[in-house]
């Protein structure tokens, strides 16, 4: 089975590497050809355009920044549409919009191509180690046939439902993550402003009932360390994801007041020129408002707290 992979960025390179390590024949394409060299050195073939990759592949994976990129890869100049074969399968790993994935699914069906929206969760580290969740939605029988391929790079491959279900799942997850981080910044700055030392405060609340669920842990990876550059995931991606989640809320008449406030904070941080800082960088706005100096707990101290609690 020959597999095509488009998008060898922070996430894509790890997932493509997992497929190659599992022994699958790989065809790769990226806007930056130099990132494909490690894969080509290990036997992968290079495709000069998405159309060429589609002609050479039975299963196609795309890992792209967002909806506009998915549409461009599909229907742009020398896009997938020009080379797709009847019976092929496309797993779009992009965090996308529901409208776009449903449109792509319908259009691909015209060519007897099975399209799946299949966003992943786990970040670049998870992509590199295979510790990913993948939430796929589309035709169930085709999913079952392809599931072993998905498990080559994702330990938790799951079928979610009809097309769009995986995207909704991912946007619920990412909007919740951004909102929880914002709440953590608010209460931590309150506690520090009231006189507590940040590492002590974080260590202590981790032993409470909510803390034991590890709800508070994500801010320890970046925000509490003041380690926002270079990014683990860029803030502009978080703006896109929360915005897409709010779009679903509007379409379904669901008020999302807290997430709207979080979106406004992220947009304010973007307007400061922080687009390419870490996704947690918008939490710094709360520190400024509270008059609390930036946190700078060392990674070693964070690890000690995690181990002890």
């Amino acid at each position: 089975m020959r597999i095509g992979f488009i998008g060898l960025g922070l996430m894509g390179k790890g997932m493509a590497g997992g497929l190659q390590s599992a022994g699958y024949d790989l065809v790769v394409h990226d806007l930056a050809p130099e990132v494909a060299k490690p894969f080509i050195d290990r036997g992968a073939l290079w495709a000069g355009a998405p159309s060429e990759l589609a002609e050479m592949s039975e299963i196609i994976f795309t890992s792209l920044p967002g909806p506009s990129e998915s549409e461009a890869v599909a229907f742009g100049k020398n896009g997938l549409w020009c080379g797709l074969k009847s019976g092929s399968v496309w797993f779009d790993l992009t965090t996308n919009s529901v409208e776009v994935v449903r449109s792509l699914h319908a259009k691909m069906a015209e060519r007897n191509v099975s399209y799946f929206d299949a966003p992943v969760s786990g970040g670049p580290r998870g992509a590199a180690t295979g510790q990913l969740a993948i939430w796929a939605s589309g035709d169930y029988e085709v999913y079952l046939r392809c599931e072993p391929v998905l498990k080559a790079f994702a330990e938790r491959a799951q079928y979610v439902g009809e097309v769009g279900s995986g995207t909704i799942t991912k946007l619920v997850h990412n909007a919740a993550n951004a909102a929880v981080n914002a709440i953590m910044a608010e209460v931590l700055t309150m506690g520090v402003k009231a006189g507590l030392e940040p590492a002590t405060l974080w260590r202590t609340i981790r032993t409470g009932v909510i803390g034991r669920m590890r709800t508070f842990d994500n801010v320890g990876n970046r925000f509490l360390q003041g380690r926002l550059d270079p990014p683990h995931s860029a803030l502009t991606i978080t703006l896109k994801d929360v915005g897409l989640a709010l779009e679903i809320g509007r379409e379904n008449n669901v008020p999302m007041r807290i997430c709207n406030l979080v979106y406004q904070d992220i947009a304010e941080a973007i307007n400061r020129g922080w687009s390419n800082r870490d996704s947690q960088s918008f939490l710094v706005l709360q520190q400024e408002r509270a008059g609390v100096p930036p946190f700078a707990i060392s990674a070693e101290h964070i690890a000690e707290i995690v181990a002890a609690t």
Side-chain angles (χ1 to χ4, degrees):
M1 181 185 299
R2 181 170 285 167
I3 295 173
F5 204 105
I6 298 176
L8 302 172
L10 288 174
M11 292 294 295
K13 66 181 180 181
M15 294 184 283
L19 288 165
Q20 195 169 37
S21 295
Y24 290 103
D25 291 332
L26 212 59
V27 185
V28 295
H29 175 77
D30 194 278
L31 290 177
E34 62 275 10
V35 303
K37 187 177 185 304
F39 299 96
I40 294 169
D41 289 346
R42 295 175 59 194
L45 300 177
W46 168 256
S51 57
E52 183 181 339
L53 181 140
E55 292 171 354
M56 301 167 68
S57 307
E58 297 170 65
I59 300 178
I60 298 164
F61 289 95
T62 52
S63 178
L64 304 166
S68 61
E69 289 82 3
S70 287
E71 291 183 307
V73 163
F75 304 119
K77 183 179 179 181
N78 297 319
L80 291 172
W81 186 253
C82 301
L84 285 166
K85 301 177 294 187
S86 176
S88 57
V89 182
W90 175 12
F91 283 94
D92 191 357
L93 307 169
T94 306
T95 301
N96 221 317
S97 89
V98 175
E99 180 182 2
V100 166
V101 301
R102 288 176 176 163
S103 173
L104 288 171
H105 179 267
K107 192 69 176 175
M108 293 301 129
E110 296 176 13
R111 298 281 290 273
N112 191 34
V113 172
S114 297
Y115 172 88
F116 288 82
D117 58 308
V120 299
S121 181
R125 184 181 301 172
T129 61
Q131 295 176 317
L132 286 176
I134 179 168
W135 300 315
S137 52
D139 184 279
Y140 182 57
E141 295 302 322
V142 177
Y143 169 83
L144 289 178
R145 191 170 78 240
C146 297
E147 189 177 53
V149 180
L150 302 179
K151 289 185 174 180
F153 66 86
E155 65 174 351
R156 296 181 180 176
Q158 300 164 81
Y159 176 78
V160 183
E162 65 182 20
V163 68
S165 302
T167 294
I168 294 170
T169 300
K170 179 65 183 291
L171 294 176
V172 166
H173 175 277
N174 283 17
N177 180 55
V180 168
N181 284 344
I183 291 167
M184 288 304 302
E186 185 170 298
V187 295
L188 285 169
T189 54
M190 176 268 287
V192 170
K193 192 73 178 287
L196 293 183
E197 190 272 327
T200 301
L201 175 59
W202 188 63
R203 182 184 69 242
T204 306
I205 63 173
R206 287 183 81 252
T207 64
V209 62
I210 302 300
R212 289 198 300 274
M213 298 178 187
R214 297 306 175 236
T215 308
F216 305 152
D217 277 20
N218 197 27
V219 291
N221 298 325
R222 289 280 177 163
F223 176 58
L224 285 175
Q225 297 181 45
R227 188 167 59 93
L228 303 171
D229 301 290
H232 175 263
S233 174
L235 184 61
T236 186
I237 298 295
T238 303
L239 183 77
K240 180 260 297 183
D241 291 355
V242 177
L244 290 171
L246 293 173
E247 185 177 291
I248 295 174
R250 288 191 295 271
E251 290 172 353
N252 292 278
N253 297 315
V254 177
M256 298 180 68
R257 296 177 183 178
I258 294 172
C259 287
N260 267 293
L261 290 172
V262 171
Y263 184 84
Q264 291 171 28
D265 262 9
I266 299 170
E268 180 179 335
I270 293 283
N271 288 335
R272 290 198 183 190
W274 296 356
S275 297
N276 293 317
R277 300 193 78 192
D278 189 76
S279 59
Q280 294 188 20
S281 60
F282 77 97
L283 306 180
V284 172
L285 298 175
Q286 172 61 25
Q287 287 179 307
E288 293 179 359
R289 295 174 190 140
V292 172
F295 299 137
I297 306 173
S298 70
E300 293 74 19
H301 196 179
I302 292 287
E304 289 171 0
I305 292 171
V306 170
T309 55

